[in-house]
Amino acid sequence: MSKYCVKKPYTVVVAVVMVIVLGVISFMNMVTDLLPAMELPYVVVVTTMPGASPEQVESQITAPLEAGLGTVNGVTNVTSTSSENVSTVVLEFDGGTNMDSAMVNLSTAVDQVRGALPDTAGNPMLLQISPDMLPVMIAAVDMEGMDVYQLTDFASETVIPAFERQAGVASVSGTGLVEKSVEIRLNEEKIEAINTKVLASVDEELADAKAELDDAKKKVEDGRAELESGKTALENQQGDTAAELADASAQLDSAIAQAQALASQQTALEASKAALEGEQKALEGYSMLNAAFAGLESTVLQSVNASLPPEFQFENYDALYAAWSAAPDMFPGLDLPASLPAVQEAAEMPAADFEKMKALLSQDSMAGQMAALTRQPEKHAGHGGQQRGGPERPP
C-alpha cells in the first residue's frame, strides 16, 4: 500500500480529497435523530370492563382473548395482565413478520372473539408498539418559594397544558404530583359505645317487631283454624242440605205420582158417578115396570082361575104357563108368553113372546105408557139377567 501511494501520489491525493468532500456533504445534510423509526414486532390488546374484579377480568376477558388471538399466524409469545376493570394482552411476533398483515389478521380474530365477551365489556383496542409511542423528553419542574402542594397545582394547571398545546406532542403525563387527601381516624372506644347503643336500640326494635310478628302469626293461625272450622261446617251443611233436597225430591216425585193417580181415580170416579146416576134413573124405571109385570101376572092368573073350578085353579103364573103350553086348546083365546122377564131381559126374548107381552100389557091400566116399549132397552155395563120379582141391583 505504501509503495502504491509513493508510486501514484496524485491518485491518493484525489481519493483523500473526495472522501473529505463526501464527509462534509454528509455531515451538512445529516438529520439528528436519537430514536430512529423502527417496526417492533409487538401488538397490545386492551379491553375494559367497568366494575369487574381482576378474577372476573381474567376468566371472562383475558382467557377468551388469549385463546382466540394466540392462533394467529406469526405469534410466538402471548403475555397478559388482568387488573381491576382492565385486561391487557401482549402478542409477540416473529422478527420478519409484516405487521400490517398481522394487524388485519388480529382484527378478524378479535371480531370472532367479541361474541364470547360479556355485554358490559368494551371493544378490544389493538395497539402496535413503535418507538414513536415512547416519551422522547422528560422535564422536571421546580420553583422557589412553593411547597409541594403549590408546585403540584402549578405543574397540573400550567406546565402540562402548555406542553399539550405544542405541535407534535401526543400526550403529556406527570409523575411525582401530590394529591391532597383527608385521613379520618375513629376513636374505637366511642365507636364501641355507639355500637352498643345502636345494638340495644336495634334489639329492642327487633323484639317489638318479633312480638308484633308473633301476634300477627297467632291471629293468622286463629283465622286459619276458624276458616277450616267454617269450611267443615259448610261442607256438613252442604251434605245435610243435599240429603234434604234428595228426600224432598223423592217426596215431591211421590206426591206427583199420587196426584196423578188421584187424578186418574177422580176421572174414573166421575165416570162411575155418571154411570151410576144413569143406572139409578134406569133402575127407577125397572122397578116400576117390574111392579107392572108382577101385577099383570097376578091379573092374568086371577082371570084364568076365575073361569076354572077351584080344584083346577093354578097356584102361580108358571104353573098356568106350563099347563097352557101342554094343552093350549084347553084355553081358547089365551096366548101367553113364556115369562114376563125384567126389563133388561126383554131384548133377549123371542119376538113372538115380546109381542104377546106387549098385548098383555096393553090390556092393563098402563097401556098408554107401555105402547112405545121396544126390544132395545138402555144397556148398562155390569147388569145381567134376573128372575121375576124385581131388577137386579147394580154392584
Side-chain angles (χ1 to χ4, degrees):
M1 184 69 183
S2 61
K3 290 180 180 182
Y4 179 78
C5 291
V6 171
K7 290 179 179 181
K8 298 183 180 274
Y10 296 106
T11 302
V12 174
V13 172
V14 172
V16 171
V17 171
M18 290 179 63
V19 170
I20 294 171
V21 171
L22 291 174
V24 171
I25 295 173
S26 298
F27 179 78
M28 293 177 62
N29 295 327
M30 184 180 297
V31 178
T32 304
D33 192 354
L34 299 179
L35 211 65
M38 294 183 296
E39 190 175 68
L40 300 179
Y42 292 93
V43 176
V44 180
V45 181
V46 180
T47 308
T48 60
M49 184 176 178
S53 63
E55 291 80 8
Q56 292 176 336
V57 172
E58 170 66 24
S59 61
Q60 298 180 14
I61 297 179
T62 304
L65 288 176
E66 287 180 348
L69 302 180
T71 59
V72 176
N73 188 21
V75 176
T76 58
N77 188 21
V78 179
T79 59
S80 61
T81 302
S82 298
S83 58
E84 188 174 0
N85 304 329
V86 179
S87 169
T88 304
V89 179
V90 179
L91 303 175
E92 181 181 356
F93 290 83
D94 292 331
T97 303
N98 187 347
M99 296 306 297
D100 294 334
S101 300
M103 289 294 291
V104 174
N105 296 333
L106 287 176
S107 178
T108 303
V110 168
D111 293 338
Q112 294 176 353
V113 178
R114 182 67 182 87
L117 300 180
D119 296 336
T120 57
N123 292 323
M125 295 182 296
L126 298 177
L127 301 176
Q128 183 179 358
I129 298 178
S130 66
D132 295 337
M133 298 176 59
L134 302 178
V136 296
M137 184 178 70
I138 299 175
V141 179
D142 190 12
M143 185 173 289
E144 295 181 2
M146 288 187 180
D147 57 10
V148 64
Y149 299 108
Q150 294 175 346
L151 188 61
T152 299
D153 294 338
F154 175 74
S156 300
E157 297 174 1
T158 304
V159 177
I160 293 177
F163 285 144
E164 290 177 345
R165 289 192 294 269
Q166 300 299 319
V169 177
S171 64
V172 178
S173 60
T175 58
L177 301 178
V178 178
E179 295 181 358
K180 294 181 179 180
S181 61
V182 177
E183 182 180 0
I184 299 175
R185 296 182 180 182
L186 301 178
N187 190 329
E188 295 184 359
E189 295 180 356
K190 292 183 178 181
I191 292 175
E192 291 294 336
I194 294 174
N195 289 338
T196 302
K197 293 180 180 180
V198 172
L199 290 175
S201 177
V202 171
D203 291 340
E204 184 178 358
E205 292 180 359
L206 289 176
D208 296 339
K210 183 178 179 182
E212 294 179 358
L213 182 62
D214 293 338
D215 294 339
K217 185 177 180 181
K218 183 178 180 182
K219 291 180 180 179
V220 170
E221 292 178 353
D222 294 340
R224 185 178 298 174
E226 292 180 359
L227 180 61
E228 292 295 334
S229 177
K231 183 178 180 182
T232 303
L234 181 59
E235 291 177 353
N236 296 333
Q237 186 176 1
Q238 288 179 350
D240 296 340
T241 304
E244 291 178 358
L245 288 176
D247 295 341
S249 178
Q251 293 178 3
L252 180 60
D253 294 339
S254 177
I256 292 173
Q258 291 179 2
Q260 293 176 351
L262 290 175
S264 300
Q265 292 178 3
Q266 182 180 2
T267 304
L269 289 175
E270 289 178 354
S272 300
K273 179 181 178 182
L276 289 176
E277 289 176 353
E279 290 176 357
Q280 183 178 4
K281 294 180 180 179
L283 287 177
E284 291 176 358
Y286 295 161
S287 299
M288 182 175 63
L289 290 175
N290 288 330
F293 292 159
L296 182 58
E297 288 180 355
S298 178
T299 302
V300 172
L301 183 61
Q302 291 178 4
S303 176
V304 173
N305 285 336
S307 61
L308 296 177
E311 61 273 11
F312 294 106
Q313 292 182 356
F314 298 96
E315 295 181 356
N316 50 44
Y317 182 82
D318 292 336
L320 174 60
Y321 179 78
W324 174 80
S325 297
D329 296 338
M330 295 178 60
F331 304 91
L334 184 63
D335 189 8
L336 299 176
S339 63
L340 294 174
V343 175
Q344 58 264 46
E345 295 178 353
E348 302 174 1
M349 292 177 62
D353 290 345
F354 185 77
E355 294 300 329
K356 292 177 183 180
M357 182 187 70
K358 287 183 63 176
L360 290 175
L361 290 174
S362 65
Q363 298 174 6
D364 192 70
S365 59
M366 298 181 62
Q369 301 180 15
M370 299 298 122
L373 184 64
T374 66
R375 295 184 64 197
Q376 302 297 329
E378 182 179 0
K379 293 187 178 183
H380 300 278
H383 297 281
Q386 65 176 13
Q387 300 299 325
R388 290 181 292 109
E392 181 183 358
R393 297 294 180 182

